[in-house]
Amino acid sequence: MIGATTWVIADGYIPPRSTGPAPELTSHESACMLNAGDADAHVDLTVYFADRPPAGPYRLTVPARRAFHQRINDLTDPEPVPPGTDYCCVIVSDVPIVVQHTRLDSRQAANALMSTIAYTPR
Amino acid sequence: MIGATTWVIADGYIPPRSTGPAPELTSHESACMLNAGDADAHVDLTVYFADRPPAGPYRLTVPARRAFHQRINDLTDPEPVPPGTDYCCVIVSDVPIVVQHTRLDSRQAANALMSTIAYTPR
Amino acid sequence: MIGATTWVIADGYIPPRSTGPAPELTSHESACMLNAGDADAHVDLTVYFADRPPAGPYRLTVPARRAFHQRINDLTDPEPVPPGTDYCCVIVSDVPIVVQHTRLDSRQAANALMSTIAYTPR
Amino acid sequence: MIGATTWVIADGYIPPRSTGPAPELTSHESACMLNAGDADAHVDLTVYFADRPPAGPYRLTVPARRAFHQRINDLTDPEPVPPGTDYCCVIVSDVPIVVQHTRLDSRQAANALMSTIAYTPR
Protein backbone atom coordinates (compact mmCIF):
# COMPACT_ATOMS: atom_id res chain seq x y z
CA MET A 1 0.00 0.00 0.00
CA ILE A 2 1.52 3.29 -1.15
CA GLY A 3 1.10 6.53 0.72
CA ALA A 4 0.00 7.78 4.10
CA THR A 5 -3.20 8.50 6.00
CA THR A 6 -2.68 12.17 6.99
CA TRP A 7 -1.94 15.03 4.61
CA VAL A 8 -1.84 18.81 4.92
CA ILE A 9 -2.27 21.66 2.43
CA ALA A 10 -1.17 24.92 4.06
CA ASP A 11 -1.67 27.45 1.25
CA GLY A 12 -5.31 27.23 0.34
CA TYR A 13 -6.84 30.13 -1.64
CA ILE A 14 -9.39 29.95 -4.46
CA PRO A 15 -8.79 32.95 -6.74
CA PRO A 16 -12.07 34.89 -6.93
CA ARG A 17 -12.12 35.65 -10.67
CA SER A 18 -11.38 33.79 -13.89
CA THR A 19 -10.44 34.33 -17.54
CA GLY A 20 -11.21 31.72 -20.19
CA PRO A 21 -13.74 28.94 -20.78
CA ALA A 22 -15.43 27.32 -17.76
CA PRO A 23 -15.03 24.91 -16.12
CA GLU A 24 -11.65 24.05 -17.66
CA LEU A 25 -9.97 27.37 -17.03
CA THR A 26 -12.02 28.49 -14.04
CA SER A 27 -9.67 29.49 -11.23
CA HIS A 28 -9.62 26.57 -8.82
CA GLU A 29 -7.72 24.49 -6.32
CA SER A 30 -7.60 20.72 -6.31
CA ALA A 31 -6.66 18.06 -3.84
CA CYS A 32 -5.40 15.37 -6.23
CA MET A 33 -5.50 11.94 -4.63
CA LEU A 34 -4.29 8.50 -5.61
CA ASN A 35 -5.62 5.35 -3.99
CA ALA A 36 -3.34 2.65 -5.39
CA GLY A 37 -4.61 0.04 -2.94
CA ASP A 38 -7.25 -2.64 -3.22
CA ALA A 39 -9.73 -1.13 -0.73
CA ASP A 40 -11.76 2.04 -1.12
CA ALA A 41 -10.47 5.01 0.87
CA HIS A 42 -12.85 6.93 3.11
CA VAL A 43 -11.43 10.42 3.30
CA ASP A 44 -12.29 13.34 5.60
CA LEU A 45 -11.23 16.88 4.74
CA THR A 46 -11.23 19.57 7.43
CA VAL A 47 -10.79 23.18 6.34
CA TYR A 48 -9.14 25.72 8.64
CA PHE A 49 -9.65 29.48 8.35
CA ALA A 50 -7.88 32.57 9.70
CA ASP A 51 -10.77 33.96 11.67
CA ARG A 52 -13.30 31.24 12.50
CA PRO A 53 -13.51 27.62 13.63
CA PRO A 54 -12.76 24.85 11.10
CA ALA A 55 -15.36 23.59 8.64
CA GLY A 56 -16.06 19.96 7.91
CA PRO A 57 -15.49 17.16 7.78
CA TYR A 58 -16.12 16.92 4.07
CA ARG A 59 -16.49 13.20 3.35
CA LEU A 60 -15.22 11.64 0.13
CA THR A 61 -14.71 8.10 -1.11
CA VAL A 62 -11.71 7.41 -3.33
CA PRO A 63 -12.28 4.07 -5.03
CA ALA A 64 -9.63 1.35 -4.96
CA ARG A 65 -7.01 1.68 -7.72
CA ARG A 66 -8.36 5.02 -8.91
CA ALA A 67 -7.27 8.65 -9.31
CA PHE A 68 -9.53 11.22 -7.69
CA HIS A 69 -8.92 14.93 -8.28
CA GLN A 70 -11.27 16.93 -6.05
CA ARG A 71 -11.80 20.58 -6.88
CA ILE A 72 -12.11 22.40 -3.56
CA ASN A 73 -14.49 24.80 -5.37
CA ASP A 74 -16.95 21.93 -5.81
CA LEU A 75 -17.28 21.00 -2.13
CA THR A 76 -20.73 21.90 -0.80
CA ASP A 77 -21.44 19.67 2.19
CA PRO A 78 -21.42 20.85 4.95
CA GLU A 79 -20.72 24.27 3.34
CA PRO A 80 -18.87 25.77 0.34
CA VAL A 81 -15.27 26.97 0.74
CA PRO A 82 -15.46 30.69 -0.07
CA PRO A 83 -13.24 32.08 -2.87
CA GLY A 84 -10.81 34.88 -2.07
CA THR A 85 -10.24 33.49 1.44
CA ASP A 86 -7.07 32.08 3.02
CA TYR A 87 -7.49 28.52 4.28
CA CYS A 88 -5.59 25.34 5.12
CA CYS A 89 -6.79 21.74 4.73
CA VAL A 90 -6.14 18.52 6.64
CA ILE A 91 -6.95 15.29 4.82
CA VAL A 92 -7.32 12.04 6.78
CA SER A 93 -7.91 8.66 5.08
CA ASP A 94 -8.59 5.23 6.54
CA VAL A 95 -6.14 3.63 4.07
CA PRO A 96 -2.94 5.04 2.55
CA ILE A 97 -3.32 7.56 -0.24
CA VAL A 98 -1.09 10.19 -1.85
CA VAL A 99 -2.14 13.86 -2.09
CA GLN A 100 -0.86 16.62 -4.37
CA HIS A 101 -2.15 20.20 -4.11
CA THR A 102 -2.58 22.35 -7.22
CA ARG A 103 -3.93 25.84 -7.91
CA LEU A 104 -4.92 27.23 -11.30
CA ASP A 105 -5.21 31.01 -11.19
CA SER A 106 -6.77 32.63 -14.28
CA ARG A 107 -7.53 36.07 -12.83
CA GLN A 108 -5.26 37.64 -15.43
CA ALA A 109 -5.09 36.96 -19.16
CA ALA A 110 -2.88 33.87 -19.02
CA ASN A 111 -3.34 31.29 -16.31
CA ALA A 112 -0.78 30.56 -13.62
CA LEU A 113 -0.20 27.18 -11.97
CA MET A 114 1.39 26.00 -8.75
CA SER A 115 1.64 22.49 -7.31
CA THR A 116 3.29 20.58 -4.50
CA ILE A 117 3.07 17.18 -2.95
CA ALA A 118 1.17 17.86 0.28
CA TYR A 119 2.82 17.51 3.69
CA THR A 120 2.61 14.14 5.39
CA PRO A 121 4.05 13.29 8.83
CA ARG A 122 6.88 10.73 8.68
CA MET B 1 23.09 5.20 -4.63
CA ILE B 2 20.84 8.29 -4.45
CA GLY B 3 17.08 8.07 -4.46
CA ALA B 4 14.34 5.54 -3.99
CA THR B 5 12.56 2.84 -5.95
CA THR B 6 8.91 3.95 -5.66
CA TRP B 7 7.55 7.37 -6.65
CA VAL B 8 4.06 8.82 -7.06
CA ILE B 9 2.65 11.70 -9.12
CA ALA B 10 -0.88 12.48 -7.93
CA ASP B 11 -1.87 15.41 -10.14
CA GLY B 12 -1.56 14.17 -13.67
CA TYR B 13 -3.34 16.15 -16.43
CA ILE B 14 -2.09 16.89 -19.95
CA PRO B 15 -3.64 20.21 -21.05
CA PRO B 16 -5.53 19.53 -24.29
CA ARG B 17 -4.48 22.63 -26.25
CA SER B 18 -1.30 24.62 -26.84
CA THR B 19 -0.02 28.05 -27.89
CA GLY B 20 3.45 28.49 -29.38
CA PRO B 21 5.96 26.44 -31.37
CA ALA B 22 5.88 22.64 -31.09
CA PRO B 23 7.28 20.57 -29.56
CA GLU B 24 9.03 23.03 -27.25
CA LEU B 25 5.94 24.86 -26.05
CA THR B 26 3.39 22.10 -26.57
CA SER B 27 1.41 21.59 -23.37
CA HIS B 28 2.89 18.56 -21.67
CA GLU B 29 3.73 16.74 -18.48
CA SER B 30 7.06 15.14 -17.74
CA ALA B 31 8.37 12.60 -15.28
CA CYS B 32 11.94 13.84 -14.89
CA MET B 33 14.23 11.10 -13.64
CA LEU B 34 17.83 10.94 -12.48
CA ASN B 35 19.73 7.70 -12.31
CA ALA B 36 22.97 8.70 -10.55
CA GLY B 37 24.03 5.11 -10.02
CA ASP B 38 26.32 2.81 -11.99
CA ALA B 39 23.63 0.36 -13.18
CA ASP B 40 20.83 1.01 -15.67
CA ALA B 41 17.40 1.48 -14.10
CA HIS B 42 14.48 -0.54 -15.37
CA VAL B 43 11.43 1.55 -14.66
CA ASP B 44 7.72 0.67 -14.80
CA LEU B 45 5.07 3.40 -14.90
CA THR B 46 1.47 2.57 -14.06
CA VAL B 47 -1.20 5.17 -14.83
CA TYR B 48 -4.36 5.40 -12.73
CA PHE B 49 -7.59 7.00 -13.93
CA ALA B 50 -10.80 8.22 -12.30
CA ASP B 51 -13.17 5.91 -14.07
CA ARG B 52 -11.36 2.85 -15.40
CA PRO B 53 -8.69 0.32 -14.43
CA PRO B 54 -5.03 1.35 -14.51
CA ALA B 55 -3.00 1.34 -17.73
CA GLY B 56 0.48 -0.06 -18.06
CA PRO B 57 3.07 -0.87 -17.14
CA TYR B 58 4.93 1.45 -19.43
CA ARG B 59 8.53 0.18 -19.48
CA LEU B 60 11.50 2.54 -19.65
CA THR B 61 15.24 2.19 -19.21
CA VAL B 62 17.11 5.05 -17.58
CA PRO B 63 20.81 4.56 -18.31
CA ALA B 64 23.39 4.65 -15.54
CA ARG B 65 24.58 8.16 -14.67
CA ARG B 66 22.08 9.83 -16.96
CA ALA B 67 19.15 12.28 -16.83
CA PHE B 68 15.94 11.04 -18.44
CA HIS B 69 12.99 13.42 -18.85
CA GLN B 70 10.00 11.44 -20.13
CA ARG B 71 7.11 13.39 -21.61
CA ILE B 72 3.95 11.56 -20.58
CA ASN B 73 2.45 12.77 -23.90
CA ASP B 74 4.98 10.60 -25.75
CA LEU B 75 4.11 7.27 -24.10
CA THR B 76 2.42 4.95 -26.58
CA ASP B 77 2.96 1.38 -25.38
CA PRO B 78 0.63 -0.15 -24.25
CA GLU B 79 -1.60 2.90 -24.99
CA PRO B 80 -1.39 6.72 -25.10
CA VAL B 81 -2.34 8.73 -22.01
CA PRO B 82 -5.26 10.88 -23.20
CA PRO B 83 -5.02 14.70 -22.86
CA GLY B 84 -7.66 16.53 -20.87
CA THR B 85 -8.00 13.61 -18.45
CA ASP B 86 -7.24 13.40 -14.72
CA TYR B 87 -4.70 10.71 -13.88
CA CYS B 88 -2.11 9.63 -11.30
CA CYS B 89 1.14 7.75 -11.91
CA VAL B 90 3.17 5.24 -9.89
CA ILE B 91 6.79 4.78 -10.91
CA VAL B 92 8.75 1.72 -9.74
CA SER B 93 12.44 1.21 -10.48
CA ASP B 94 14.76 -1.71 -9.79
CA VAL B 95 17.52 0.66 -8.60
CA PRO B 96 17.24 4.02 -6.79
CA ILE B 97 16.26 7.02 -8.90
CA VAL B 98 14.86 10.50 -8.20
CA VAL B 99 11.64 11.74 -9.84
CA GLN B 100 10.36 15.29 -10.30
CA HIS B 101 6.97 16.01 -11.89
CA THR B 102 6.47 19.06 -14.12
CA ARG B 103 3.60 20.40 -16.22
CA LEU B 104 3.84 23.05 -18.94
CA ASP B 105 0.42 24.48 -19.77
CA SER B 106 0.29 26.70 -22.87
CA ARG B 107 -3.46 26.74 -23.41
CA GLN B 108 -3.49 30.51 -22.97
CA ALA B 109 -1.17 33.10 -24.52
CA ALA B 110 1.68 32.75 -22.01
CA ASN B 111 2.69 29.36 -20.67
CA ALA B 112 2.30 28.33 -17.04
CA LEU B 113 4.58 25.90 -15.19
CA MET B 114 4.28 23.79 -12.06
CA SER B 115 6.72 21.31 -10.56
CA THR B 116 7.27 19.21 -7.46
CA ILE B 117 9.55 16.46 -6.34
CA ALA B 118 7.29 13.38 -6.54
CA TYR B 119 6.17 11.53 -3.41
CA THR B 120 8.34 8.69 -2.20
CA PRO B 121 7.64 6.46 0.83
CA ARG B 122 10.21 6.88 3.64
CA MET C 1 -0.52 17.35 16.76
CA ILE C 2 0.26 17.64 13.05
CA GLY C 3 3.46 19.10 11.72
CA ALA C 4 6.90 20.04 12.93
CA THR C 5 8.63 22.87 14.77
CA THR C 6 11.38 23.85 12.28
CA TRP C 7 10.80 24.83 8.64
CA VAL C 8 12.99 26.34 5.93
CA ILE C 9 12.25 28.40 2.81
CA ALA C 10 15.38 28.56 0.66
CA ASP C 11 14.20 30.59 -2.35
CA GLY C 12 13.00 33.88 -0.95
CA TYR C 13 12.62 36.82 -3.37
CA ILE C 14 9.89 39.47 -3.41
CA PRO C 15 9.49 40.65 -7.02
CA PRO C 16 10.03 44.42 -7.03
CA ARG C 17 7.20 45.45 -9.37
CA SER C 18 3.55 44.50 -9.88
CA THR C 19 0.76 44.53 -12.47
CA GLY C 20 -2.90 44.54 -11.46
CA PRO C 21 -5.00 45.65 -8.48
CA ALA C 22 -3.38 45.92 -5.05
CA PRO C 23 -3.14 44.25 -2.66
CA GLU C 24 -4.61 41.14 -4.29
CA LEU C 25 -2.25 40.99 -7.25
CA THR C 26 0.71 42.78 -5.72
CA SER C 27 3.83 40.67 -6.19
CA HIS C 28 4.43 38.94 -2.87
CA GLU C 29 5.68 35.93 -1.01
CA SER C 30 3.81 34.17 1.76
CA ALA C 31 4.68 31.76 4.51
CA CYS C 32 1.39 29.89 4.79
CA MET C 33 1.04 28.21 8.17
CA LEU C 34 -1.44 25.80 9.72
CA ASN C 35 -1.75 25.33 13.44
CA ALA C 36 -4.13 22.38 13.73
CA GLY C 37 -3.44 21.94 17.44
CA ASP C 38 -5.24 23.16 20.52
CA ALA C 39 -2.54 25.58 21.74
CA ASP C 40 -1.46 28.83 20.12
CA ALA C 41 1.85 28.63 18.26
CA HIS C 42 4.55 31.20 18.99
CA VAL C 43 6.59 31.43 15.83
CA ASP C 44 9.95 33.08 15.16
CA LEU C 45 11.09 33.83 11.61
CA THR C 46 14.75 34.55 10.89
CA VAL C 47 15.66 35.94 7.47
CA TYR C 48 19.06 35.19 5.91
CA PHE C 49 20.65 37.32 3.21
CA ALA C 50 23.52 36.90 0.75
CA ASP C 51 25.68 39.71 1.99
CA ARG C 52 24.81 40.62 5.56
CA PRO C 53 23.93 39.04 8.91
CA PRO C 54 20.44 37.59 9.43
CA ALA C 55 17.46 39.76 10.38
CA GLY C 56 14.95 38.91 13.07
CA PRO C 57 13.49 37.20 14.82
CA TYR C 58 10.12 38.28 13.51
CA ARG C 59 7.61 37.10 16.12
CA LEU C 60 4.15 35.85 15.15
CA THR C 61 1.35 34.07 16.96
CA VAL C 62 -0.65 31.49 15.02
CA PRO C 63 -3.83 30.83 16.97
CA ALA C 64 -4.91 27.29 17.80
CA ARG C 65 -6.91 25.61 15.02
CA ARG C 66 -6.38 28.43 12.59
CA ALA C 67 -4.81 29.12 9.19
CA PHE C 68 -2.30 31.98 9.08
CA HIS C 69 -0.90 33.17 5.75
CA GLN C 70 1.83 35.74 6.42
CA ARG C 71 2.91 37.93 3.52
CA ILE C 72 6.65 38.44 3.91
CA ASN C 73 6.10 41.89 2.35
CA ASP C 74 4.08 42.89 5.41
CA LEU C 75 6.74 42.15 8.03
CA THR C 76 8.04 45.36 9.58
CA ASP C 77 9.42 44.52 13.02
CA PRO C 78 12.41 44.55 13.46
CA GLU C 79 12.79 45.68 9.81
CA PRO C 80 11.13 45.21 6.39
CA VAL C 81 12.38 42.49 4.03
CA PRO C 82 13.52 44.42 0.95
CA PRO C 83 12.00 43.54 -2.46
CA GLY C 84 14.32 42.47 -5.28
CA THR C 85 16.68 40.77 -2.83
CA ASP C 86 17.60 37.10 -2.47
CA TYR C 87 16.86 35.69 0.97
CA CYS C 88 16.14 32.49 2.90
CA CYS C 89 13.89 32.05 5.93
CA VAL C 90 13.98 29.75 8.96
CA ILE C 91 10.72 29.34 10.87
CA VAL C 92 10.73 27.92 14.41
CA SER C 93 7.55 27.26 16.39
CA ASP C 94 7.00 26.11 19.96
CA VAL C 95 4.28 23.67 18.83
CA PRO C 96 3.95 21.71 15.58
CA ILE C 97 2.77 23.62 12.52
CA VAL C 98 2.90 23.07 8.76
CA VAL C 99 4.46 25.64 6.40
CA GLN C 100 3.99 26.10 2.65
CA HIS C 101 5.91 28.76 0.69
CA THR C 102 4.27 30.60 -2.19
CA ARG C 103 5.32 33.45 -4.50
CA LEU C 104 3.02 35.50 -6.71
CA ASP C 105 4.99 37.38 -9.35
CA SER C 106 3.01 39.98 -11.33
CA ARG C 107 5.91 41.91 -12.84
CA GLN C 108 4.68 41.02 -16.31
CA ALA C 109 1.12 41.24 -17.69
CA ALA C 110 -0.11 37.90 -16.35
CA ASN C 111 0.88 36.72 -12.89
CA ALA C 112 3.04 33.67 -12.24
CA LEU C 113 2.82 31.42 -9.18
CA MET C 114 5.11 28.95 -7.49
CA SER C 115 4.62 26.96 -4.30
CA THR C 116 6.19 24.18 -2.28
CA ILE C 117 5.81 22.63 1.11
CA ALA C 118 8.77 24.07 3.03
CA TYR C 119 11.66 21.88 4.17
CA THR C 120 11.44 20.29 7.59
CA PRO C 121 14.09 18.08 9.20
CA ARG C 122 12.94 14.48 9.76
CA MET D 1 22.57 22.56 12.10
CA ILE D 2 19.58 22.62 9.74
CA GLY D 3 19.45 20.65 6.55
CA ALA D 4 21.24 17.81 4.83
CA THR D 5 24.38 17.21 2.83
CA THR D 6 22.96 15.64 -0.37
CA TRP D 7 20.29 17.18 -2.58
CA VAL D 8 18.89 16.37 -6.04
CA ILE D 9 17.18 18.46 -8.72
CA ALA D 10 15.66 16.13 -11.33
CA ASP D 11 14.00 18.55 -13.74
CA GLY D 12 16.75 20.82 -14.97
CA TYR D 13 16.12 22.84 -18.15
CA ILE D 14 17.19 26.42 -18.89
CA PRO D 15 14.64 27.91 -21.31
CA PRO D 16 16.58 29.06 -24.38
CA ARG D 17 14.83 32.42 -24.96
CA SER D 18 13.62 35.32 -22.83
CA THR D 19 11.17 38.24 -22.82
CA GLY D 20 11.74 41.30 -20.64
CA PRO D 21 14.68 43.14 -19.08
CA ALA D 22 17.93 41.23 -18.40
CA PRO D 23 19.15 39.90 -16.10
CA GLU D 24 16.06 40.13 -13.88
CA LEU D 25 13.63 38.47 -16.27
CA THR D 26 16.11 36.38 -18.24
CA SER D 27 14.91 32.77 -18.34
CA HIS D 28 16.94 30.92 -15.72
CA GLU D 29 17.14 28.18 -13.15
CA SER D 30 18.48 28.61 -9.66
CA ALA D 31 19.70 26.31 -6.93
CA CYS D 32 18.73 28.36 -3.89
CA MET D 33 20.76 27.37 -0.85
CA LEU D 34 20.67 28.25 2.84
CA ASN D 35 23.62 27.68 5.11
CA ALA D 36 22.19 28.44 8.56
CA GLY D 37 25.21 27.02 10.35
CA ASP D 38 28.32 28.62 11.74
CA ALA D 39 30.82 27.09 9.28
CA ASP D 40 31.15 27.82 5.58
CA ALA D 41 29.72 25.13 3.31
CA HIS D 42 31.87 23.73 0.52
CA VAL D 43 29.44 22.57 -2.12
CA ASP D 44 29.97 20.42 -5.22
CA LEU D 45 27.39 20.35 -8.02
CA THR D 46 27.43 17.55 -10.58
CA VAL D 47 25.27 17.93 -13.67
CA TYR D 48 23.84 14.86 -15.43
CA PHE D 49 22.73 14.84 -19.05
CA ALA D 50 20.63 12.54 -21.24
CA ASP D 51 23.29 11.64 -23.74
CA ARG D 52 26.75 12.20 -22.31
CA PRO D 53 28.76 11.72 -19.11
CA PRO D 54 28.18 14.09 -16.17
CA ALA D 55 29.84 17.51 -15.97
CA GLY D 56 31.50 18.91 -12.88
CA PRO D 57 32.04 19.16 -10.08
CA TYR D 58 31.18 22.82 -9.98
CA ARG D 59 32.64 24.09 -6.70
CA LEU D 60 30.88 26.75 -4.64
CA THR D 61 31.29 28.16 -1.15
CA VAL D 62 28.17 29.13 0.76
CA PRO D 63 29.24 31.33 3.67
CA ALA D 64 28.09 30.58 7.22
CA ARG D 65 24.68 32.09 8.06
CA ARG D 66 24.05 33.27 4.53
CA ALA D 67 21.60 32.75 1.66
CA PHE D 68 23.16 31.79 -1.67
CA HIS D 69 21.01 31.65 -4.81
CA GLN D 70 23.10 30.24 -7.66
CA ARG D 71 21.81 30.75 -11.19
CA ILE D 72 22.71 27.61 -13.11
CA ASN D 73 23.04 29.84 -16.19
CA ASP D 74 26.02 31.55 -14.54
CA LEU D 75 28.12 28.44 -13.94
CA THR D 76 31.17 28.40 -16.19
CA ASP D 77 33.82 26.24 -14.55
CA PRO D 78 34.47 23.54 -15.73
CA GLU D 79 31.93 24.31 -18.52
CA PRO D 80 28.61 26.16 -19.05
CA VAL D 81 25.33 24.25 -18.72
CA PRO D 82 23.74 24.62 -22.17
CA PRO D 83 20.23 26.15 -22.44
CA GLY D 84 17.47 24.13 -24.07
CA THR D 85 18.93 20.88 -22.72
CA ASP D 86 17.46 18.40 -20.23
CA TYR D 87 19.65 17.87 -17.18
CA CYS D 88 19.62 16.78 -13.52
CA CYS D 89 21.83 18.05 -10.70
CA VAL D 90 23.29 16.46 -7.56
CA ILE D 91 24.47 18.84 -4.85
CA VAL D 92 26.80 17.62 -2.09
CA SER D 93 27.90 19.81 0.82
CA ASP D 94 30.36 19.19 3.65
CA VAL D 95 27.94 20.72 6.17
CA PRO D 96 24.12 20.70 6.24
CA ILE D 97 22.35 23.09 3.88
CA VAL D 98 18.84 23.37 2.42
CA VAL D 99 18.23 23.52 -1.36
CA GLN D 100 15.19 24.76 -3.28
CA HIS D 101 15.02 24.57 -7.08
CA THR D 102 13.31 27.31 -9.09
CA ARG D 103 12.85 28.02 -12.81
CA LEU D 104 11.78 31.33 -14.35
CA ASP D 105 10.62 30.84 -17.93
CA SER D 106 10.07 34.07 -19.92
CA ARG D 107 9.98 32.59 -23.41
CA GLN D 108 6.44 33.89 -23.86
CA ALA D 109 5.05 37.37 -23.03
CA ALA D 110 4.44 36.76 -19.33
CA ASN D 111 6.90 34.79 -17.25
CA ALA D 112 6.11 31.44 -15.66
CA LEU D 113 7.60 30.13 -12.40
CA MET D 114 8.00 26.74 -10.80
CA SER D 115 9.70 25.77 -7.55
CA THR D 116 10.17 22.81 -5.24
CA ILE D 117 12.28 21.91 -2.28
CA ALA D 118 14.90 19.59 -3.79
CA TYR D 119 15.01 15.88 -2.93
CA THR D 120 17.14 14.82 0.00
CA PRO D 121 17.65 11.25 1.22
CA ARG D 122 16.25 10.61 4.72
Side-chain angles (χ1 to χ4, degrees), chain A:
Chain A
M1 291 187 303
I2 301 171
T5 57
T6 301
W7 294 87
V8 177
I9 296 165
D11 184 10
Y13 177 85
I14 302 171
R17 294 183 306 283
S18 302
T19 305
E24 186 184 304
L25 284 164
T26 302
S27 288
H28 66 271
E29 288 202 308
S30 292
C32 300
M33 295 176 273
L34 171 65
N35 177 6
D38 293 328
D40 290 358
H42 303 93
V43 176
D44 281 6
L45 281 74
T46 302
V47 178
Y48 292 79
F49 298 99
D51 53 5
R52 64 175 177 102
Y58 299 84
R59 300 188 186 280
L60 305 170
T61 299
V62 181
R65 294 167 60 79
R66 291 292 182 274
F68 192 98
H69 294 191
Q70 175 66 49
R71 285 200 186 196
I72 303 298
N73 310 37
D74 292 343
L75 295 174
T76 57
D77 182 10
E79 60 183 290
V81 178
T85 301
D86 292 341
Y87 71 92
C88 300
C89 183
V90 174
I91 298 171
V92 176
S93 173
D94 61 349
V95 298
I97 61 174
V98 177
V99 179
Q100 185 171 344
H101 168 234
T102 297
R103 181 185 304 162
L104 185 151
D105 177 352
S106 66
R107 287 176 289 181
Q108 295 185 318
N111 62 303
L113 287 175
M114 65 182 221
S115 189
T116 185
I117 294 290
Y119 170 78
T120 189
R122 305 279 192 180

Side-chain angles (χ1 to χ4, degrees), chain D residues 44-75:
Chain D
D44 279 6
L45 281 75
T46 303
V47 177
Y48 291 79
F49 298 99
D51 53 6
R52 63 174 176 104
Y58 299 84
R59 300 189 186 280
L60 305 170
T61 299
V62 181
R65 296 167 61 77
R66 291 292 182 275
F68 193 99
H69 294 191
Q70 175 66 50
R71 285 199 185 196
I72 304 297
N73 310 36
D74 292 342
L75 296 172

Side-chain angles (χ1 to χ4, degrees), chain A residues 2-3 7 19-20 24-25 32-34 36 65-67 69 98 100 102 104 109-113 115-117 122, chain B residues 8 10-12 17 48-50 52-53 86-88 90 101 105 107-108 110 112-117 119-120 122:
Chain A
I2 301 171
W7 294 87
T19 305
E24 186 184 304
L25 284 164
C32 300
M33 295 176 273
L34 171 65
R65 294 167 60 79
R66 291 292 182 274
H69 294 191
V98 177
Q100 185 171 344
T102 297
L104 185 151
N111 62 303
L113 287 175
S115 189
T116 185
I117 294 290
R122 305 279 192 180
Chain B
V8 178
D11 184 11
R17 294 182 308 283
Y48 292 79
F49 298 99
R52 64 174 176 103
D86 293 341
Y87 73 90
C88 300
V90 174
H101 168 234
D105 177 351
R107 286 175 290 180
Q108 295 185 319
L113 287 175
M114 65 183 221
S115 189
T116 185
I117 294 289
Y119 169 79
T120 188
R122 305 279 190 179

Side-chain angles (χ1 to χ4, degrees), chain B residues 33-93:
Chain B
M33 295 176 274
L34 170 65
N35 177 6
D38 292 328
D40 291 357
H42 303 94
V43 176
D44 280 7
L45 281 75
T46 303
V47 178
Y48 292 79
F49 298 99
D51 54 5
R52 64 174 176 103
Y58 298 84
R59 301 189 187 278
L60 305 170
T61 299
V62 181
R65 294 166 61 78
R66 291 292 183 274
F68 193 99
H69 294 192
Q70 175 66 50
R71 286 199 185 196
I72 304 297
N73 310 37
D74 292 342
L75 296 173
T76 57
D77 182 10
E79 60 183 290
V81 178
T85 302
D86 293 341
Y87 73 90
C88 300
C89 183
V90 174
I91 298 171
V92 177
S93 173

